[in-house]
Each structure stands twice: as structure tokens, then as C-alpha cells.
Amino acid sequence: MSFVTADYDYVLPPELIASRPAPRRDQARMMVLDREKQSIAHHSFREIAGLIGPDDLLVLNNTKVIPARIRFQTRKAELLLLEQLDATKWRCLVRPGHWFRDGREFSEGAVSGKVLRIEPSGERVIEFNAPIDFARVGEMPLPPYIQREVEPADAERYQTVFAAKPGAVAAPTAGLHFTPELLGTLPHAFITLRVGIGTFLPVKTEDLREHQMQEEWFEIEKETAERIANAKSVLAVGTTTVRTLETAMRQHQRIVPGLGSTDIFIYPPFKFQRVDSLLTNFHLPKSTLLMLVAAFAGREFILEAYREAVASKYRFFSYGDCMLIR
């Protein structure tokens, strides 16, 4: 156990960062960690059905990524739409900041609007002249570590096959590996957590306990809440699912249906109340996601697994391979 941010670091050769997805979703490699035995095994994601328990209920995040990146063609400027406040108002990240000063009016092709205010965080609240037509102006908001231009294939591949509820600005990447055929063979249920930009924000404090998570909204439907509450074992697909379920347990001591919000930061030591196993991708050094996984499996065990993943040339981050922790 450590609260020192630097203790959640590891060395990652840049060439192991996956810039594109595997040709097929289910072709990812999957490292399997057994917490009790402290063992590490190597499999293909296609083998997952034979590696989970008969009583496991898979819980997945069915949020849908919106093409939230808007780039201006006549100048080096762009917007990332983070949260819709009403029909025409959005909370946004902007670049460059000096161009989007308070009160600035702008017009670029099909996008016109005005900066209403600048938040203490630097985010802008912008009122557009009309609802955003994402089909005309939006791009998929690929993570900043994917250092290439967005390609047409990203519109499909940076989205799970079960994405249903728009609002996320980042994909719940552990779910990217499922095909409809594979998912159809496994007992599963869906929650929704609208993934925000906070998932990429680094921990800048030396003591991780001083880091503040951004708030994200989630929804658990009635039938899903009942299934999760009655499940003998829950396999959370992705850290966003973990955060949703463990927030619900902390707030209500059980899984209840409805809308909610979470700014929960999970790091060692943390007592998990509803998640029994976890499917997740490989995460950035010193990130809140790596700290969550370390809380689930143990920091030293996770760092050992990451060193083995590097040595075995696993593919890292959103478009990369995955890890099943039992």
C-alpha cells in the first residue's frame, strides 16, 4: 500500500502504445491474473468464456461516445464538448485558450457561438447559435496518446458494439473487445456511466490522496439493479463499471436503480463491496485507473504484471490488449 503517486509508475516503450485496434475486436491478447495464487497466465480474449465462473454476471457500460471534437479549418483552434447543459449550451475544453476569451463570439463553417464564461478550471461555457450537428462537424475524440489523425474506421472501432446512450467523450475501452456473437454467449447486464475527460487527467500531486476526481453521471436501470443485486458473482467490464457499482454500494449499501453521480477515487486500500472480478485494459503510468486496478489486485502484483506485459510486448491503452483479474 502506498499513497505516493510515484509508486504507481512503470516504464513503457512508446512503440507498445496501440495507435490502431486489432483487425478483429476479439483478437486482443488477455493477461489473466489470479489474486489468490498470485499467478499470471496468457490467453486470447476469445477464450474468456472458458475463463470466467459459471455464476459470473458480466456488467458492462453501454455509454456511447459522441464525436465531441470540433476543429476549426481556418485557424489552429478546436473545441472538445464535455457536457451538454441545455439545447445549445455546452461545457468545453478549448485550444488555444487565449482565442476563446470571455465574451468572444466566433463563427466557423456550421459552428457559431459565444463564450459565456470561463470556469476556474479553464473550461469554457459556450452557447452555440444552434444545436450541434455532430454528423457535419464532429470527430471522434481519440485519446491524446494516439498521435495520429482520426480515420473513418475510428467512428466504429472507438465505440463498443453495445453502445446505446450518447454522452461520453471517451470509450469504456474494456468493452471494445466484445463482438455481438461473443457477448451473446455470456450472461450480462448494462449500466451507463458517461465517461468524461477526467479519465485522462494525470495525478499531479505527490500524495495521491490530494487528487480530486471530476464528477461523472451514471444510470442504473431497475432490471439491471435487480440482476446485479441477486448475482452470486459480478465481473465488472472496465473501471467505469467498477466506479459506478462501488459508488452505488457506498451511497445506498446496495445496488439501486436511478440516476446518480460519482467522483469516487479508488486507490489502495479500498474495500470492494460488489465487484468480484475485473476485465480492464492496460492503463497509463501514475493514472487514477492504474491506482484503481492496484486497489483491486495489489500494487506490487499489478506492477509485476505490467512489467511482464511490457516484456511480452502486449499492446497498451485504449486500442490495446486487456487483463482479466479474478
Side-chain angles (χ1 to χ4, degrees), residues 42 59 93 105-106 186 192 247 292 314:
H42 304 277
V59 182
L93 284 179
E105 295 185 12
F106 58 88
L186 302 169
T192 306
T247 295
L292 182 153
Y314 273 70

Side-chain angles (χ1 to χ4, degrees), residues 59-61 63 168 170-172 174 191-201 203 211-220 228 234-252 254-256 259-267 270-280 283 287-293 295-296:
V59 182
L60 309 100
N61 184 0
T63 192
I191 56 91
T192 306
L193 182 137
R194 295 172 178 85
V195 190
I197 199 66
T199 191
F200 299 122
L201 293 181
V203 178
H211 178 76
Q212 180 61 48
M213 296 288 288
Q214 291 191 352
E215 187 177 51
E216 295 170 309
W217 293 90
F218 66 83
E219 179 181 7
I220 304 176
I228 296 172
V234 167
L235 193 168
V237 177
T239 57
T240 60
T241 298
V242 174
R243 294 181 69 239
T244 300
L245 298 182
E246 294 300 326
T247 295
M249 293 299 296
R250 282 199 161 193
Q251 291 176 348
H252 308 288
R254 59 193 178 95
I255 302 298
V256 300
L259 295 170
S261 66
T262 179
D263 62 358
I264 191 173
F265 181 12
I266 297 176
Y267 54 83
F270 181 89
K271 184 178 180 181
F272 291 85
Q273 300 181 64
R274 182 62 281 204
V275 175
D276 301 290
S277 47
L278 169 63
L279 178 73
T280 186
H283 303 296
S287 65
T288 61
L289 305 183
L290 180 59
M291 293 166 186
L292 182 153
V293 176
F296 192 72

Side-chain angles (χ1 to χ4, degrees), residues 24-26 49 161 177-186 188:
R24 280 182 51 87
R25 290 179 182 269
D26 59 359
V161 297
H177 306 292
F178 288 91
T179 63
E181 295 78 16
L182 181 56
L183 188 59
T185 67
L186 302 169
H188 63 275

Side-chain angles (χ1 to χ4, degrees), residues 103-168:
R104 178 70 180 262
E105 295 185 12
F106 58 88
S107 182
E108 172 73 21
V111 180
S112 299
K114 180 180 179 179
V115 179
L116 296 183
R117 66 177 183 272
I118 301 177
E119 303 281 28
S121 63
E123 296 166 356
R124 270 58 168 176
V125 174
I126 294 178
E127 182 171 23
F128 295 94
N129 292 349
I132 298 296
D133 183 353
F134 287 106
R136 291 182 63 191
V137 302
E139 291 183 3
M140 291 300 277
L142 292 184
Y145 48 73
I146 297 181
Q147 297 182 358
R148 62 168 174 81
E149 292 297 311
V150 175
E151 300 169 356
D154 293 313
E156 175 193 359
R157 294 304 302 275
Y158 193 62
Q159 197 85 270
T160 63
V161 297
F162 47 82
K165 297 188 177 182

